[in-house]
Amino acid sequence: EIVLTQSPGTLSLSPGERVTLSCRASQSVSSSYLAWYQQKAGQAPRLLIYDASSRATGIPDRFSGSGSGTDFTLTISRLEPEDFAVYYCQQYGSSPSLTFGGGTKVEIK
Amino acid sequence: EVQLVESGGDLVQPGRSLRLSCAASGFTFDIYGMHWVRQAPGKGLEWVSGISWNGGSIGYADSVKGRFTISRDNAKNSLFLQMNSLNPEDTALYYCAKDRRVRTNYYYSPDVWGKGTTVTVSS
C-alpha cells in the first residue's frame, strides 16, 4: 500500500500570502495519479486537482499542482479568505485501492 | 444537478450489522465507478471501498476487508455498503462519492461527494 505523508500538519498564514503544501509518497505514484482535495468544516471534500496538475471544473487558477514520482506539491498563489481549510492529497496509482494523506490544515494567522 | 444522498447510518452495538445506501441523481449512474470514503470524528479521510461501473472491479481497504461488502443497482441508481461485525473503530461519517472517469475498471479521483451518513458503533 502506498502511504502518503503531508507536511506540515498545520500552517498559519494571512490572506494574500502564497502557500505551498507537500505530499510525499512511500513509493512512486504511477502515471502521476495524484489528486488534491479541499475540505471546509462541516462540508464534504471538494476536488481541486487531479493527475497531479490538472485543475478540476470550476477551480480558480490560483490553485496549481505539480510533481511526479514520490513528491507532489499544491500551491495557492494568493490566499483568499475562503481558502482556509484542510487539504488532502490522494493517490490512485495502485487501483483498485485509493489512499489519502493525513491532511494539512491552513489556518488564519 | 448532480447529487448523492446517503442514508442508513445509525447507532449500533459492536458486532452488529448495518447497511448504507446512496441514491444518485443528475448524472448517468451506470457508467461511473463509485466509492465509499469515511471520516472518523476529528480525523482525516479514509477510502473504504470502490466498485467499477459494471461491478467488474471491486476493492476494499484492509481495515474492512472480509467484513464490508459493496454493491450497486444500476437500474435503481443506487450504491450500497453492507457492514458486518462492526467495531468502535468503524465509527465515522460515511461519504458516497462518484469516480471521475467513465466505463473503466480503474479507480481515479472521486469528483462528486454526498453529505455523508453517520455510523456510531458503541455499547
Side-chain angles (χ1 to χ4, degrees), chain B residues 70-113:
Chain B
I70 192 172
S71 62
R72 64 189 297 158
D73 184 339
N74 285 344
K76 295 183 178 179
N77 291 348
S78 295
L79 177 72
F80 305 100
L81 186 68
Q82 177 66 43
M83 304 186 295
N84 298 331
S85 303
L86 285 162
N87 59 60
E89 291 69 45
D90 297 316
T91 294
L93 180 64
Y94 283 73
Y95 292 104
C96 165
K98 164 191 163 292
D99 206 287
R100 183 171 50 82
R101 294 184 66 167
V102 302
R103 292 195 182 93
T104 174
N105 283 337
Y106 199 94
Y107 300 163
Y108 291 87
S109 41
D111 64 347
V112 177
W113 298 61

mmCIF file of all heavy atoms in Angstrom, chain B residues 70-113:
data_model
loop_
_atom_site.group_PDB
_atom_site.id
_atom_site.type_symbol
_atom_site.label_atom_id
_atom_site.label_comp_id
_atom_site.label_asym_id
_atom_site.label_seq_id
_atom_site.Cartn_x
_atom_site.Cartn_y
_atom_site.Cartn_z
ATOM 1 N N ILE B 70 -19.454 -4.081 -0.808
ATOM 2 C CA ILE B 70 -20.012 -3.012 -1.636
ATOM 3 C C ILE B 70 -20.810 -3.639 -2.781
ATOM 4 O O ILE B 70 -20.460 -4.719 -3.284
ATOM 5 C CB ILE B 70 -18.890 -2.094 -2.181
ATOM 6 C CG1 ILE B 70 -19.461 -0.824 -2.801
ATOM 7 C CG2 ILE B 70 -18.001 -2.842 -3.171
ATOM 8 C CD1 ILE B 70 -18.399 0.210 -3.178
ATOM 9 N N SER B 71 -21.886 -2.973 -3.174
ATOM 10 C CA SER B 71 -22.678 -3.425 -4.313
ATOM 11 C C SER B 71 -23.394 -2.231 -4.928
ATOM 12 O O SER B 71 -23.421 -1.146 -4.337
ATOM 13 C CB SER B 71 -23.688 -4.504 -3.890
ATOM 14 O OG SER B 71 -24.598 -3.984 -2.938
ATOM 15 N N ARG B 72 -23.951 -2.440 -6.097
ATOM 16 C CA ARG B 72 -24.691 -1.379 -6.761
ATOM 17 C C ARG B 72 -25.862 -1.965 -7.536
ATOM 18 O O ARG B 72 -25.835 -3.124 -7.958
ATOM 19 C CB ARG B 72 -23.766 -0.585 -7.691
ATOM 20 C CG ARG B 72 -23.175 -1.365 -8.844
ATOM 21 C CD ARG B 72 -22.113 -0.546 -9.580
ATOM 22 N NE ARG B 72 -22.676 0.660 -10.191
ATOM 23 C CZ ARG B 72 -21.962 1.738 -10.521
ATOM 24 N NH1 ARG B 72 -20.659 1.761 -10.311
ATOM 25 N NH2 ARG B 72 -22.560 2.784 -11.073
ATOM 26 N N ASP B 73 -26.889 -1.142 -7.707
ATOM 27 C CA ASP B 73 -28.051 -1.497 -8.519
ATOM 28 C C ASP B 73 -28.193 -0.395 -9.561
ATOM 29 O O ASP B 73 -28.739 0.669 -9.270
ATOM 30 C CB ASP B 73 -29.294 -1.607 -7.634
ATOM 31 C CG ASP B 73 -30.520 -2.079 -8.414
ATOM 32 O OD1 ASP B 73 -30.543 -1.944 -9.648
ATOM 33 O OD2 ASP B 73 -31.468 -2.563 -7.773
ATOM 34 N N ASN B 74 -27.680 -0.639 -10.751
ATOM 35 C CA ASN B 74 -27.693 0.400 -11.780
ATOM 36 C C ASN B 74 -29.112 0.745 -12.236
ATOM 37 O O ASN B 74 -29.378 1.867 -12.665
ATOM 38 C CB ASN B 74 -26.824 -0.018 -12.962
ATOM 39 C CG ASN B 74 -25.333 0.092 -12.659
ATOM 40 O OD1 ASN B 74 -24.930 0.734 -11.695
ATOM 41 N ND2 ASN B 74 -24.517 -0.549 -13.473
ATOM 42 N N ALA B 75 -30.019 -0.203 -12.151
ATOM 43 C CA ALA B 75 -31.406 0.061 -12.542
ATOM 44 C C ALA B 75 -32.073 1.051 -11.592
ATOM 45 O O ALA B 75 -32.997 1.764 -11.980
ATOM 46 C CB ALA B 75 -32.195 -1.238 -12.584
ATOM 47 N N LYS B 76 -31.577 1.098 -10.347
ATOM 48 C CA LYS B 76 -32.161 1.990 -9.338
ATOM 49 C C LYS B 76 -31.233 3.138 -8.969
ATOM 50 O O LYS B 76 -31.487 3.848 -7.992
ATOM 51 C CB LYS B 76 -32.532 1.194 -8.095
ATOM 52 C CG LYS B 76 -33.635 0.157 -8.332
ATOM 53 C CD LYS B 76 -34.020 -0.558 -7.053
ATOM 54 C CE LYS B 76 -35.163 -1.543 -7.318
ATOM 55 N NZ LYS B 76 -35.557 -2.290 -6.105
ATOM 56 N N ASN B 77 -30.142 3.306 -9.733
ATOM 57 C CA ASN B 77 -29.197 4.402 -9.466
ATOM 58 C C ASN B 77 -28.761 4.428 -8.002
ATOM 59 O O ASN B 77 -28.730 5.496 -7.374
ATOM 60 C CB ASN B 77 -29.809 5.757 -9.845
ATOM 61 C CG ASN B 77 -29.973 5.919 -11.341
ATOM 62 O OD1 ASN B 77 -29.446 5.138 -12.130
ATOM 63 N ND2 ASN B 77 -30.713 6.938 -11.744
ATOM 64 N N SER B 78 -28.416 3.265 -7.485
ATOM 65 C CA SER B 78 -28.119 3.159 -6.061
ATOM 66 C C SER B 78 -26.828 2.394 -5.787
ATOM 67 O O SER B 78 -26.490 1.447 -6.498
ATOM 68 C CB SER B 78 -29.266 2.472 -5.323
ATOM 69 O OG SER B 78 -30.444 3.239 -5.373
ATOM 70 N N LEU B 79 -26.152 2.815 -4.734
ATOM 71 C CA LEU B 79 -24.923 2.188 -4.246
ATOM 72 C C LEU B 79 -25.173 1.751 -2.807
ATOM 73 O O LEU B 79 -25.912 2.422 -2.073
ATOM 74 C CB LEU B 79 -23.771 3.194 -4.284
ATOM 75 C CG LEU B 79 -22.420 2.751 -3.739
ATOM 76 C CD1 LEU B 79 -21.771 1.753 -4.694
ATOM 77 C CD2 LEU B 79 -21.513 3.961 -3.520
ATOM 78 N N PHE B 80 -24.552 0.630 -2.418
ATOM 79 C CA PHE B 80 -24.787 0.100 -1.076
ATOM 80 C C PHE B 80 -23.457 -0.284 -0.414
ATOM 81 O O PHE B 80 -22.466 -0.553 -1.093
ATOM 82 C CB PHE B 80 -25.692 -1.141 -1.154
ATOM 83 C CG PHE B 80 -26.984 -0.907 -1.875
ATOM 84 C CD1 PHE B 80 -27.131 -1.299 -3.197
ATOM 85 C CD2 PHE B 80 -28.037 -0.269 -1.238
ATOM 86 C CE1 PHE B 80 -28.314 -1.080 -3.875
ATOM 87 C CE2 PHE B 80 -29.231 -0.035 -1.909
ATOM 88 C CZ PHE B 80 -29.370 -0.434 -3.241
ATOM 89 N N LEU B 81 -23.500 -0.325 0.918
ATOM 90 C CA LEU B 81 -22.383 -0.849 1.681
ATOM 91 C C LEU B 81 -22.947 -1.676 2.823
ATOM 92 O O LEU B 81 -23.571 -1.126 3.736
ATOM 93 C CB LEU B 81 -21.485 0.271 2.218
ATOM 94 C CG LEU B 81 -20.212 -0.204 2.908
ATOM 95 C CD1 LEU B 81 -19.257 -0.848 1.893
ATOM 96 C CD2 LEU B 81 -19.508 0.950 3.631
ATOM 97 N N GLN B 82 -22.765 -2.982 2.755
ATOM 98 C CA GLN B 82 -23.173 -3.875 3.835
ATOM 99 C C GLN B 82 -22.010 -3.998 4.804
ATOM 100 O O GLN B 82 -20.910 -4.405 4.413
ATOM 101 C CB GLN B 82 -23.545 -5.259 3.275
ATOM 102 C CG GLN B 82 -23.913 -6.282 4.338
ATOM 103 C CD GLN B 82 -25.190 -5.925 5.067
ATOM 104 O OE1 GLN B 82 -26.175 -5.499 4.456
ATOM 105 N NE2 GLN B 82 -25.200 -6.106 6.379
ATOM 106 N N MET B 83 -22.263 -3.609 6.044
ATOM 107 C CA MET B 83 -21.205 -3.605 7.046
ATOM 108 C C MET B 83 -21.533 -4.618 8.143
ATOM 109 O O MET B 83 -22.555 -4.478 8.829
ATOM 110 C CB MET B 83 -21.063 -2.205 7.646
ATOM 111 C CG MET B 83 -20.815 -1.123 6.603
ATOM 112 S SD MET B 83 -20.486 0.485 7.315
ATOM 113 C CE MET B 83 -22.039 0.826 8.109
ATOM 114 N N ASN B 84 -20.696 -5.636 8.284
ATOM 115 C CA ASN B 84 -20.887 -6.674 9.293
ATOM 116 C C ASN B 84 -19.787 -6.596 10.355
ATOM 117 O O ASN B 84 -18.747 -5.970 10.134
ATOM 118 C CB ASN B 84 -20.887 -8.050 8.649
ATOM 119 C CG ASN B 84 -22.014 -8.232 7.650
ATOM 120 O OD1 ASN B 84 -23.079 -7.624 7.759
ATOM 121 N ND2 ASN B 84 -21.775 -9.085 6.663
ATOM 122 N N SER B 85 -20.028 -7.238 11.465
ATOM 123 C CA SER B 85 -19.036 -7.308 12.550
ATOM 124 C C SER B 85 -18.468 -5.929 12.869
ATOM 125 O O SER B 85 -17.251 -5.741 12.958
ATOM 126 C CB SER B 85 -17.908 -8.271 12.185
ATOM 127 O OG SER B 85 -18.413 -9.546 11.899
ATOM 128 N N LEU B 86 -19.335 -4.977 13.056
ATOM 129 C CA LEU B 86 -18.890 -3.603 13.301
ATOM 130 C C LEU B 86 -18.171 -3.491 14.641
ATOM 131 O O LEU B 86 -18.515 -4.172 15.618
ATOM 132 C CB LEU B 86 -20.078 -2.655 13.260
ATOM 133 C CG LEU B 86 -20.598 -2.358 11.846
ATOM 134 C CD1 LEU B 86 -22.011 -1.799 11.886
ATOM 135 C CD2 LEU B 86 -19.666 -1.403 11.123
ATOM 136 N N ASN B 87 -17.163 -2.619 14.691
ATOM 137 C CA ASN B 87 -16.444 -2.351 15.929
ATOM 138 C C ASN B 87 -16.327 -0.838 16.116
ATOM 139 O O ASN B 87 -16.578 -0.067 15.171
ATOM 140 C CB ASN B 87 -15.086 -3.048 15.937
ATOM 141 C CG ASN B 87 -14.206 -2.617 14.777
ATOM 142 O OD1 ASN B 87 -13.880 -1.440 14.643
ATOM 143 N ND2 ASN B 87 -13.830 -3.554 13.913
ATOM 144 N N PRO B 88 -15.970 -0.388 17.301
ATOM 145 C CA PRO B 88 -15.929 1.068 17.564
ATOM 146 C C PRO B 88 -15.031 1.835 16.589
ATOM 147 O O PRO B 88 -15.288 3.017 16.348
ATOM 148 C CB PRO B 88 -15.399 1.134 19.001
ATOM 149 C CG PRO B 88 -15.881 -0.140 19.616
ATOM 150 C CD PRO B 88 -15.765 -1.164 18.527
ATOM 151 N N GLU B 89 -14.009 1.194 16.041
ATOM 152 C CA GLU B 89 -13.117 1.866 15.076
ATOM 153 C C GLU B 89 -13.808 2.174 13.754
ATOM 154 O O GLU B 89 -13.273 2.924 12.933
ATOM 155 C CB GLU B 89 -11.871 1.022 14.817
ATOM 156 C CG GLU B 89 -10.900 0.905 15.984
ATOM 157 C CD GLU B 89 -11.466 0.077 17.129
ATOM 158 O OE1 GLU B 89 -12.040 -1.004 16.854
ATOM 159 O OE2 GLU B 89 -11.360 0.506 18.301
ATOM 160 N N ASP B 90 -15.008 1.620 13.541
ATOM 161 C CA ASP B 90 -15.782 1.907 12.327
ATOM 162 C C ASP B 90 -16.653 3.157 12.488
ATOM 163 O O ASP B 90 -17.325 3.567 11.537
ATOM 164 C CB ASP B 90 -16.667 0.715 11.960
ATOM 165 C CG ASP B 90 -15.870 -0.531 11.621
ATOM 166 O OD1 ASP B 90 -14.859 -0.396 10.889
ATOM 167 O OD2 ASP B 90 -16.237 -1.623 12.093
ATOM 168 N N THR B 91 -16.668 3.743 13.676
ATOM 169 C CA THR B 91 -17.431 4.961 13.911
ATOM 170 C C THR B 91 -16.903 6.089 13.037
ATOM 171 O O THR B 91 -15.715 6.435 13.096
ATOM 172 C CB THR B 91 -17.340 5.366 15.393
ATOM 173 O OG1 THR B 91 -17.998 4.368 16.184
ATOM 174 C CG2 THR B 91 -17.996 6.723 15.636
ATOM 175 N N ALA B 92 -17.779 6.645 12.196
ATOM 176 C CA ALA B 92 -17.339 7.667 11.255
ATOM 177 C C ALA B 92 -18.517 8.222 10.478
ATOM 178 O O ALA B 92 -19.627 7.676 10.516
ATOM 179 C CB ALA B 92 -16.329 7.081 10.253
ATOM 180 N N LEU B 93 -18.239 9.308 9.764
ATOM 181 C CA LEU B 93 -19.162 9.828 8.749
ATOM 182 C C LEU B 93 -18.794 9.114 7.448
ATOM 183 O O LEU B 93 -17.620 9.146 7.043
ATOM 184 C CB LEU B 93 -18.980 11.330 8.625
ATOM 185 C CG LEU B 93 -19.854 12.074 7.609
ATOM 186 C CD1 LEU B 93 -21.325 11.975 7.996
ATOM 187 C CD2 LEU B 93 -19.427 13.540 7.531
ATOM 188 N N TYR B 94 -19.757 8.470 6.827
ATOM 189 C CA TYR B 94 -19.502 7.704 5.613
ATOM 190 C C TYR B 94 -20.016 8.486 4.396
ATOM 191 O O TYR B 94 -21.204 8.792 4.303
ATOM 192 C CB TYR B 94 -20.189 6.338 5.682
ATOM 193 C CG TYR B 94 -19.449 5.371 6.570
ATOM 194 C CD1 TYR B 94 -19.458 5.508 7.954
ATOM 195 C CD2 TYR B 94 -18.708 4.321 6.022
ATOM 196 C CE1 TYR B 94 -18.752 4.638 8.769
ATOM 197 C CE2 TYR B 94 -18.012 3.437 6.832
ATOM 198 C CZ TYR B 94 -18.034 3.608 8.199
ATOM 199 O OH TYR B 94 -17.335 2.731 9.004
ATOM 200 N N TYR B 95 -19.090 8.786 3.492
ATOM 201 C CA TYR B 95 -19.424 9.503 2.265
ATOM 202 C C TYR B 95 -19.535 8.531 1.090
ATOM 203 O O TYR B 95 -18.705 7.616 0.951
ATOM 204 C CB TYR B 95 -18.322 10.506 1.901
ATOM 205 C CG TYR B 95 -18.154 11.686 2.812
ATOM 206 C CD1 TYR B 95 -17.096 11.754 3.721
ATOM 207 C CD2 TYR B 95 -19.034 12.772 2.746
ATOM 208 C CE1 TYR B 95 -16.913 12.870 4.530
ATOM 209 C CE2 TYR B 95 -18.855 13.887 3.552
ATOM 210 C CZ TYR B 95 -17.789 13.919 4.441
ATOM 211 O OH TYR B 95 -17.625 15.028 5.243
ATOM 212 N N CYS B 96 -20.500 8.779 0.246
ATOM 213 C CA CYS B 96 -20.612 8.153 -1.059
ATOM 214 C C CYS B 96 -19.995 9.139 -2.065
ATOM 215 O O CYS B 96 -20.218 10.353 -1.958
ATOM 216 C CB CYS B 96 -22.097 7.915 -1.355
ATOM 217 S SG CYS B 96 -22.547 7.534 -3.043
ATOM 218 N N ALA B 97 -19.208 8.631 -3.001
ATOM 219 C CA ALA B 97 -18.539 9.533 -3.943
ATOM 220 C C ALA B 97 -18.474 8.903 -5.328
ATOM 221 O O ALA B 97 -18.295 7.687 -5.467
ATOM 222 C CB ALA B 97 -17.123 9.864 -3.450
ATOM 223 N N LYS B 98 -18.601 9.752 -6.334
ATOM 224 C CA LYS B 98 -18.600 9.312 -7.730
ATOM 225 C C LYS B 98 -17.189 9.432 -8.305
ATOM 226 O O LYS B 98 -16.502 10.431 -8.103
ATOM 227 C CB LYS B 98 -19.577 10.207 -8.503
ATOM 228 C CG LYS B 98 -19.450 10.182 -10.014
ATOM 229 C CD LYS B 98 -20.281 11.293 -10.606
ATOM 230 C CE LYS B 98 -19.888 11.601 -12.038
ATOM 231 N NZ LYS B 98 -18.550 12.203 -12.124
ATOM 232 N N ASP B 99 -16.771 8.420 -9.041
ATOM 233 C CA ASP B 99 -15.464 8.494 -9.697
ATOM 234 C C ASP B 99 -15.517 9.481 -10.853
ATOM 235 O O ASP B 99 -16.586 9.814 -11.370
ATOM 236 C CB ASP B 99 -15.034 7.115 -10.192
ATOM 237 C CG ASP B 99 -13.529 6.992 -10.299
ATOM 238 O OD1 ASP B 99 -12.949 7.580 -11.222
ATOM 239 O OD2 ASP B 99 -12.931 6.329 -9.425
ATOM 240 N N ARG B 100 -14.329 9.933 -11.267
ATOM 241 C CA ARG B 100 -14.259 10.999 -12.248
ATOM 242 C C ARG B 100 -14.388 10.503 -13.685
ATOM 243 O O ARG B 100 -14.849 11.238 -14.565
ATOM 244 C CB ARG B 100 -12.917 11.733 -12.084
ATOM 245 C CG ARG B 100 -12.698 12.920 -12.968
ATOM 246 C CD ARG B 100 -11.430 13.664 -12.521
ATOM 247 N NE ARG B 100 -10.280 12.786 -12.370
ATOM 248 C CZ ARG B 100 -9.505 12.385 -13.354
ATOM 249 N NH1 ARG B 100 -9.765 12.780 -14.596
ATOM 250 N NH2 ARG B 100 -8.472 11.595 -13.121
ATOM 251 N N ARG B 101 -13.980 9.245 -13.951
ATOM 252 C CA ARG B 101 -13.941 8.792 -15.338
ATOM 253 C C ARG B 101 -14.991 7.719 -15.597
ATOM 254 O O ARG B 101 -15.482 7.073 -14.671
ATOM 255 C CB ARG B 101 -12.534 8.312 -15.681
ATOM 256 C CG ARG B 101 -11.547 9.468 -15.646
ATOM 257 C CD ARG B 101 -10.168 9.094 -16.069
ATOM 258 N NE ARG B 101 -10.116 8.722 -17.491
ATOM 259 C CZ ARG B 101 -8.983 8.588 -18.169
ATOM 260 N NH1 ARG B 101 -7.829 8.812 -17.569
ATOM 261 N NH2 ARG B 101 -8.986 8.230 -19.430
ATOM 262 N N VAL B 102 -15.317 7.539 -16.863
ATOM 263 C CA VAL B 102 -16.409 6.644 -17.234
ATOM 264 C C VAL B 102 -15.914 5.320 -17.798
ATOM 265 O O VAL B 102 -14.825 5.230 -18.350
ATOM 266 C CB VAL B 102 -17.357 7.301 -18.270
ATOM 267 C CG1 VAL B 102 -17.921 8.601 -17.729
ATOM 268 C CG2 VAL B 102 -16.663 7.530 -19.599
ATOM 269 N N ARG B 103 -16.746 4.303 -17.599
ATOM 270 C CA ARG B 103 -16.572 2.996 -18.231
ATOM 271 C C ARG B 103 -15.152 2.454 -18.117
ATOM 272 O O ARG B 103 -14.546 2.047 -19.101
ATOM 273 C CB ARG B 103 -17.003 3.033 -19.698
ATOM 274 C CG ARG B 103 -18.493 3.229 -19.884
ATOM 275 C CD ARG B 103 -18.920 2.891 -21.295
ATOM 276 N NE ARG B 103 -20.348 3.129 -21.485
ATOM 277 C CZ ARG B 103 -20.855 4.267 -21.949
ATOM 278 N NH1 ARG B 103 -20.061 5.269 -22.285
ATOM 279 N NH2 ARG B 103 -22.167 4.401 -22.096
ATOM 280 N N THR B 104 -14.637 2.438 -16.911
ATOM 281 C CA THR B 104 -13.313 1.875 -16.663
ATOM 282 C C THR B 104 -13.328 1.040 -15.397
ATOM 283 O O THR B 104 -14.070 1.365 -14.463
ATOM 284 C CB THR B 104 -12.248 2.984 -16.558
ATOM 285 O OG1 THR B 104 -10.996 2.390 -16.186
ATOM 286 C CG2 THR B 104 -12.615 4.023 -15.521
ATOM 287 N N ASN B 105 -12.531 -0.001 -15.370
ATOM 288 C CA ASN B 105 -12.407 -0.796 -14.157
ATOM 289 C C ASN B 105 -11.282 -0.274 -13.265
ATOM 290 O O ASN B 105 -10.955 -0.898 -12.258
ATOM 291 C CB ASN B 105 -12.165 -2.269 -14.506
ATOM 292 C CG ASN B 105 -13.443 -2.963 -14.949
ATOM 293 O OD1 ASN B 105 -14.537 -2.524 -14.609
ATOM 294 N ND2 ASN B 105 -13.305 -4.026 -15.708
ATOM 295 N N TYR B 106 -10.713 0.863 -13.646
ATOM 296 C CA TYR B 106 -9.664 1.502 -12.841
ATOM 297 C C TYR B 106 -10.293 2.599 -11.993
ATOM 298 O O TYR B 106 -11.246 3.240 -12.409
ATOM 299 C CB TYR B 106 -8.621 2.106 -13.786
ATOM 300 C CG TYR B 106 -7.294 2.382 -13.142
ATOM 301 C CD1 TYR B 106 -6.273 1.451 -13.193
ATOM 302 C CD2 TYR B 106 -7.053 3.590 -12.486
ATOM 303 C CE1 TYR B 106 -5.041 1.701 -12.602
ATOM 304 C CE2 TYR B 106 -5.828 3.852 -11.897
ATOM 305 C CZ TYR B 106 -4.828 2.903 -11.962
ATOM 306 O OH TYR B 106 -3.620 3.154 -11.382
ATOM 307 N N TYR B 107 -9.761 2.809 -10.791
ATOM 308 C CA TYR B 107 -10.277 3.850 -9.905
ATOM 309 C C TYR B 107 -9.455 5.124 -10.070
ATOM 310 O O TYR B 107 -8.221 5.059 -10.086
ATOM 311 C CB TYR B 107 -10.230 3.419 -8.443
ATOM 312 C CG TYR B 107 -11.037 2.186 -8.118
ATOM 313 C CD1 TYR B 107 -10.797 1.494 -6.940
ATOM 314 C CD2 TYR B 107 -12.031 1.708 -8.965
ATOM 315 C CE1 TYR B 107 -11.523 0.367 -6.610
ATOM 316 C CE2 TYR B 107 -12.759 0.580 -8.645
ATOM 317 C CZ TYR B 107 -12.497 -0.094 -7.465
ATOM 318 O OH TYR B 107 -13.218 -1.214 -7.150
ATOM 319 N N TYR B 108 -10.139 6.250 -10.129
ATOM 320 C CA TYR B 108 -9.459 7.535 -10.271
ATOM 321 C C TYR B 108 -9.753 8.408 -9.055
ATOM 322 O O TYR B 108 -9.757 7.910 -7.932
ATOM 323 C CB TYR B 108 -9.862 8.204 -11.593
ATOM 324 C CG TYR B 108 -9.310 7.465 -12.794
ATOM 325 C CD1 TYR B 108 -10.003 6.412 -13.369
ATOM 326 C CD2 TYR B 108 -8.071 7.798 -13.331
ATOM 327 C CE1 TYR B 108 -9.483 5.715 -14.448
ATOM 328 C CE2 TYR B 108 -7.543 7.114 -14.410
ATOM 329 C CZ TYR B 108 -8.252 6.068 -14.957
ATOM 330 O OH TYR B 108 -7.732 5.387 -16.017
ATOM 331 N N SER B 109 -9.982 9.676 -9.260
ATOM 332 C CA SER B 109 -10.199 10.607 -8.155
ATOM 333 C C SER B 109 -11.679 10.961 -8.083
ATOM 334 O O SER B 109 -12.240 11.504 -9.020
ATOM 335 C CB SER B 109 -9.358 11.868 -8.376
ATOM 336 O OG SER B 109 -9.401 12.258 -9.737
ATOM 337 N N PRO B 110 -12.333 10.643 -6.948
ATOM 338 C CA PRO B 110 -13.754 10.983 -6.815
ATOM 339 C C PRO B 110 -13.986 12.488 -6.991
ATOM 340 O O PRO B 110 -13.281 13.293 -6.381
ATOM 341 C CB PRO B 110 -14.084 10.531 -5.393
ATOM 342 C CG PRO B 110 -13.108 9.439 -5.104
ATOM 343 C CD PRO B 110 -11.843 9.876 -5.796
ATOM 344 N N ASP B 111 -14.978 12.858 -7.817
ATOM 345 C CA ASP B 111 -15.180 14.273 -8.093
ATOM 346 C C ASP B 111 -16.501 14.828 -7.587
ATOM 347 O O ASP B 111 -16.712 16.043 -7.616
ATOM 348 C CB ASP B 111 -15.043 14.559 -9.599
ATOM 349 C CG ASP B 111 -16.108 13.875 -10.445
ATOM 350 O OD1 ASP B 111 -16.808 12.990 -9.916
ATOM 351 O OD2 ASP B 111 -16.207 14.206 -11.643
ATOM 352 N N VAL B 112 -17.409 13.979 -7.151
ATOM 353 C CA VAL B 112 -18.669 14.431 -6.561
ATOM 354 C C VAL B 112 -18.896 13.617 -5.300
ATOM 355 O O VAL B 112 -18.750 12.387 -5.324
ATOM 356 C CB VAL B 112 -19.854 14.246 -7.533
ATOM 357 C CG1 VAL B 112 -21.158 14.654 -6.853
ATOM 358 C CG2 VAL B 112 -19.638 15.062 -8.805
ATOM 359 N N TRP B 113 -19.251 14.314 -4.221
ATOM 360 C CA TRP B 113 -19.409 13.673 -2.922
ATOM 361 C C TRP B 113 -20.795 14.004 -2.352
ATOM 362 O O TRP B 113 -21.305 15.102 -2.556
ATOM 363 C CB TRP B 113 -18.359 14.184 -1.938
ATOM 364 C CG TRP B 113 -16.945 13.896 -2.326
ATOM 365 C CD1 TRP B 113 -16.289 14.333 -3.454
ATOM 366 C CD2 TRP B 113 -15.993 13.139 -1.585
ATOM 367 N NE1 TRP B 113 -14.987 13.886 -3.455
ATOM 368 C CE2 TRP B 113 -14.780 13.152 -2.317
ATOM 369 C CE3 TRP B 113 -16.025 12.450 -0.366
ATOM 370 C CZ2 TRP B 113 -13.625 12.494 -1.876
ATOM 371 C CZ3 TRP B 113 -14.879 11.804 0.075
ATOM 372 C CH2 TRP B 113 -13.705 11.821 -0.682
#
